[in-house]
């Protein structure tokens, strides 16, 4: 996609500090990091989100995210890592080229990746389960 910033970064048309690169993905540091070392795994080919991306490319990107998480843990001394990925504006996606966040976590850091635990609606969930099974 000619006007996609992550296409340009992943394919070298916009310079970036890359911590890992292969023929399918590039890994950069987030410009507005949640914590020190927050990295993004960018596939080199464009897909807006999880609903569009090729399965093998997504699997590869996740394997790279695991390797980067392990390396960041070693490099930063963080105590844990969140690996997450937003799909759609309502889910918090702001750049519409799929990317995987790798966020090192420290005691008392300022990343707030939490929700209020709710309660299950068993009737609705039974309905959803039937519909999901029909699709899968
Ligand atoms: P999301 O909200 O999941 O779409 O995440 C987009 C992320 O991309 C945010 O954390 C931004 O800070 C980050 N970001 C946006 N533009 C750039 C850029 N030019 N270089 C690095 N990270 C960026
Ligand atoms: Zn793109």
């Amino acid at each position: 996609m000619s006007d996609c910033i992550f296409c340009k970064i992943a394919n070298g048309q916009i310079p970036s500090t890359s911590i890992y690169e292969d023929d399918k993905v590039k890994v950069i540091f987030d410009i507005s990091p949640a914590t020190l070392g927050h990295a993004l795994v960018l596939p080199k080919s464009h897909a807006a989100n999880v609903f569009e991306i090729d399965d093998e490319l997504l699997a590869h990107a996740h394997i790279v995210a695991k390797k980067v998480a392990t390396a960041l843990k070693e490099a930063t001394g963080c105590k844990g890592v969140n690996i997450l990925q937003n799909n759609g504006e309502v889910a918090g996606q702001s750049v519409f080229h799929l990317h995987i966040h790798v966020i090192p976590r420290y005691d008392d850091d300022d990343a707030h990746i939490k929700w209020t635990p709710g309660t299950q609606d068993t009737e609705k969930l039974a309905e959803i389960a039937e519909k999901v099974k029909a699709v899968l």
Side-chain angles (χ1 to χ4, degrees):
M1 277 246 299
S2 56
D3 60 345
C4 172
I5 187 159
F6 281 2
C7 276
K8 289 181 181 160
I9 292 173
N11 293 287
Q13 289 145 274
I14 293 178
S16 62
T17 302
S18 172
I19 54 173
Y20 174 82
E21 181 168 8
D22 62 27
D23 57 328
K24 297 191 189 77
V25 299
K26 182 179 272 193
V27 184
I28 62 167
F29 287 122
D30 196 294
I31 202 166
S32 306
T35 65
L36 181 68
H38 180 172
L40 300 173
V41 181
L42 310 180
K44 290 187 175 181
S45 66
H46 184 85
N49 54 40
V50 76
F51 306 113
E52 289 186 3
I53 194 168
D54 170 81
D55 286 356
E56 274 181 28
L57 180 54
L58 182 62
H60 178 71
H62 275 284
I63 290 166
V64 170
K66 176 193 171 180
K67 288 182 179 157
V68 168
T70 307
L72 279 171
K73 192 163 183 289
E74 183 78 23
T76 64
C78 68
K79 295 200 170 158
V81 175
N82 290 111
I83 295 177
L84 61 90
Q85 200 263 304
N86 300 322
N87 299 283
E89 201 172 346
V90 73
Q93 186 174 12
S94 61
V95 178
F96 296 92
H97 172 125
L98 184 142
H99 49 281
I100 302 171
H101 294 265
V102 182
I103 306 174
R105 299 303 304 269
Y106 309 91
D107 283 332
D108 304 320
D109 68 28
D110 207 22
H112 303 287
I113 307 166
K114 282 202 162 64
W115 55 88
T116 308
T119 49
Q120 286 193 334
D121 181 332
T122 43
E123 240 172 70
K124 276 201 179 135
L125 283 179
E127 257 176 55
I128 290 168
E130 285 314 307
K131 287 184 186 165
V132 167
K133 285 184 210 164
V135 173
L136 287 175

